[in-house]
Amino acid sequence: MPTVVRSLLDRLRALEVATRPEHPDLTAALARRWEDLPAHVKTPNQMLGTRSAGCEGTHGVFPRCNLACTPCYHAKEANRVRVDGPHTQREVDRQMGLLRELRGPGQNAQLIGGEVTLLAPEDHAAALQAMHRHGRKPMSMSHGDFDYDHLEALALDPDTGERRFDFLSFAGHFDSMMFGRRGIKRVHDEAELNPYRERFCAMFQRLEREHGVKHYLAHNMTVTPRNIDQVAQVVRDCRDMGFRMFSFQPAAFVGNQARWKDAYRAFSSDEVWQRIEEGAGARLHFRAVQVGDERCNRTAYGLYAGDRYAPVLDEDDPRDQRVLGDFLAGFGGMDFVAPPALLAARTARAIARRPQILPHGAGWAARLVRRAGGVRHLRANPPTPITFVMHAFMDARDVRPAWELLEQGVMSDDPRIRATQERLQSCSYAMAHPDDGRLVPACAQHSVLDPDENLRLVELLPLHGGEPEPATV
Ligand code: SF4
């Protein structure tokens, strides 16, 4: 075949792949994920294996933290490991490489471990760039106690002063069970943290004003018997600060035992969700879509138009469920962040795969506008999307035996351990182990694997004495 013809064919093939709604590697990864899910989560509203392969997080890349949380999910040795930029960059690169290989491109990944802003901005930036390089959508997980200088140095190229990221995604962890924050070492109630939450959001708003770097901010909060009754007020107080996601984690008995303070199992997931709804001022339709197992995750997508909250999908309306089915069948795992021409081509092909989405989608859009208060109300109150999430980690005493049996291919007869195994099999939050080429649920990582891993890291990266003292509880 003449070279010119071969080259033309190659380009046509590349164009055909680039304009598919999903990258073929993602299509294959989603199919595998769906195949591996247990039957009880293979529901029409399941996102795993249809839209996403699941969330991802790093581990063992910078275990140290300079605040203290009760509870803290990290092993007690974590603070004896030095923060080391080259180690972080190397391990993030390896972990993300495996995730790209096993899960395809375009998945959300959290740069998480200890406190990410203890890394030098250059190392933080290099880790995010490695994540992008491997097709991940990174989010930096921080306690939010850092300065604008770090953020600016992270966002800008030090040689040119130009921005090196157009967009940064951060989750700020704020709750009254954290100790050692500058300016407020000990917190008595959640409202005392509001100025610190505002300051966190304001840094990103300033970065956008001064350098054009856009952002997505999530607010993370651990829920215990001490602060459950303040959840609603936190949502009310913080709704307009600039966070686009509010994520609540009912505390679990995992990680450093010295930091276990309360009867964490004194309330149910329903009780937490009820407080979130009180704060949101609306019912939150978490059964419209499901990510993994409902005992692990609740997610409610919606938008505010003024004070009025509208769910994106009404879980009671079969027409909305049908639209979701059309969307998943047509668009699947399509990444909507793409250049306009590519996005248009992918959208056209997605609609061609599922033409019903046009009439059904038009009906859904009209219902959403009605739920949000109508066209006039929306004109006067431009909508702001806000997502509410609850993620309930499991206790180490259950995860350990459940995981050990799963490793042997055995399902437990004990109902509690079996339920734990079902959740681990449906896990939506994985961590990568490049040495043996496998992914493990974050619960298994923290409950089973972290202690040994941190002991190895203590030997590999011992403290050299100049590190800031971590806070004590
Ligand atoms: S198994 Fe653990 S890490 Fe995975 S989704 Fe459930 S709670 Fe989250």
Side-chain angles (χ1 to χ4, degrees):
M1 190 186 296
T3 318
V4 66
V5 176
R6 193 178 310 134
S7 145
L8 187 64
L9 282 176
D10 286 348
R11 284 164 68 177
L12 280 175
R13 249 181 243 120
L15 185 67
E16 191 279 318
V17 170
T19 56
R20 284 187 203 181
E22 281 167 4
H23 189 284
D25 293 352
L26 179 59
T27 305
L30 292 179
R32 281 196 301 273
R33 190 73 227 262
W34 183 262
E35 183 64 28
D36 290 345
L37 284 177
H40 75 283
V41 296
K42 286 185 173 176
T43 51
N45 63 348
Q46 180 57 254
M47 296 293 105
L48 293 187
T50 54
R51 172 111 188 100
S52 161
C55 283
E56 302 156 357
T58 54
H59 65 97
V61 295
F62 47 86
R64 189 173 169 78
C65 184
N66 57 343
L67 261 63
C69 295
T70 55
C72 172
Y73 293 168
H74 297 284
K76 65 181 191 305
E77 294 78 14
N79 269 335
R80 291 168 45 210
V81 180
R82 177 176 89 231
V83 175
D84 184 280
H87 168 82
T88 303
Q89 292 184 39
R90 194 169 48 246
E91 289 305 312
V92 168
D93 189 53
R94 293 177 70 229
Q95 291 179 21
M96 295 300 119
L98 180 61
L99 286 162
R100 171 62 183 83
E101 184 189 326
L102 298 180
R103 296 186 146 205
Q107 305 303 291
N108 293 319
Q110 301 183 342
L111 183 57
I112 190 169
E115 170 51 32
V116 70
T117 59
L118 293 183
L119 289 168
E122 277 311 300
D123 296 322
H124 188 169
L128 293 180
Q129 285 164 336
M131 296 171 88
H132 283 295
R133 232 178 12 254
H134 290 295
R136 305 352 266 163
K137 296 186 164 188
M139 172 181 262
S140 299
M141 309 293 284
S142 170
H143 53 37
D145 188 15
F146 61 90
D147 292 325
Y148 184 69
D149 289 354
H150 180 97
L151 188 57
E152 195 177 41
L154 168 68
L156 305 184
D157 185 315
D159 296 328
T160 64
E162 299 294 315
R163 61 174 184 257
R164 57 179 151 193
F165 297 106
D166 291 331
F167 182 85
L168 287 172
S169 180
F170 264 67
H173 179 189
F174 294 91
D175 65 55
S176 53
M177 257 68 61
M178 304 165 81
F179 297 86
R181 191 179 293 278
R182 287 173 306 166
I184 184 162
K185 296 284 180 208
R186 194 168 283 270
V187 182
H188 301 98
D189 67 52
E190 293 295 331
E192 290 178 344
L193 284 170
N194 287 342
Y196 299 85
R197 295 171 168 126
E198 261 170 343
R199 176 183 171 277
F200 176 73
C201 294
M203 288 196 291
F204 289 87
Q205 288 150 7
R206 178 177 166 193
L207 188 72
E208 184 163 349
R209 263 195 326 274
E210 294 184 354
H211 301 291
V213 180
K214 297 194 180 320
H215 56 269
Y216 180 91
L217 300 181
H219 179 281
N220 280 13
M221 175 174 170
T222 304
V223 183
T224 76
R226 292 183 200 209
N227 68 352
I228 182 170
D229 289 327
Q230 300 171 54
V231 164
Q233 195 57 42
V234 168
V235 174
R236 284 186 209 110
D237 290 346
C238 302
R239 203 188 80 193
D240 297 324
M241 284 183 186
F243 295 108
R244 289 289 162 266
M245 176 187 282
F246 290 93
S247 177
F248 297 88
Q249 285 87 43
F253 292 104
V254 59
N256 186 349
Q257 291 193 24
R259 305 264 188 93
W260 296 353
K261 294 289 175 201
D262 289 299
Y264 297 145
R265 297 293 167 216
F267 52 77
S268 65
S269 290
D270 283 340
E271 288 172 89
V272 179
W273 198 251
Q274 185 197 327
R275 306 308 199 278
I276 303 170
E277 288 184 325
E278 275 171 29
R283 180 179 154 208
L284 299 174
H285 291 230
F286 69 87
R287 292 204 167 100
V289 299
Q290 183 59 48
V291 182
D293 191 302
E294 187 180 307
R295 293 165 287 188
C296 295
N297 296 304
R298 295 185 184 194
T299 309
Y301 296 105
L303 48 90
Y304 276 99
D307 280 340
R308 188 176 177 126
Y309 173 87
V312 167
L313 291 171
D314 181 338
E315 69 183 25
D316 300 328
D317 191 331
R319 293 170 300 177
D320 279 16
Q321 285 304 307
R322 192 176 57 193
V323 165
L324 176 66
D326 292 335
F327 175 79
L328 294 175
F331 289 86
M334 181 170 136
D335 190 346
F336 286 85
V337 181
L342 210 49
L343 192 60
R346 288 176 185 166
T347 301
R349 291 185 69 173
I351 292 170
R353 279 209 306 208
R354 191 75 163 192
Q356 305 93 302
I357 196 160
L358 283 180
H360 293 166
W364 161 78
R367 289 192 297 280
L368 178 58
V369 168
R370 270 200 300 279
R371 286 198 288 267
V375 174
R376 195 175 300 165
H377 181 76
L378 280 167
R379 270 212 201 102
N381 301 278
T384 306
I386 300 264
T387 304
F388 293 99
V389 171
M390 182 170 66
H391 187 110
F393 284 104
M394 297 188 280
D395 296 337
R397 65 171 183 174
D398 296 333
V399 173
R400 189 172 278 276
W403 181 248
E404 280 166 5
L405 284 173
L406 277 180
E407 294 273 78
Q408 298 161 27
V410 177
M411 292 300 284
S412 173
D413 294 331
D414 177 331
R416 204 174 78 202
I417 304 303
R418 194 179 178 93
T420 306
Q421 291 181 307
E422 290 167 0
R423 291 174 62 179
L424 290 168
Q425 289 173 321
S426 322
C427 180
S428 64
Y429 185 25
M431 298 188 164
H433 285 259
D435 286 340
D436 51 16
R438 66 181 189 155
L439 308 182
V440 305
C443 271
Q445 180 66 41
H446 295 322
S447 298
V448 185
L449 305 175
D450 267 355
D452 284 350
E453 182 172 291
N454 278 298
L455 283 174
R456 286 195 299 276
L457 286 170
V458 169
E459 284 183 19
L460 184 71
L461 302 170
L463 297 178
H464 42 40
E467 294 79 4
E469 277 301 306
T472 46
V473 182

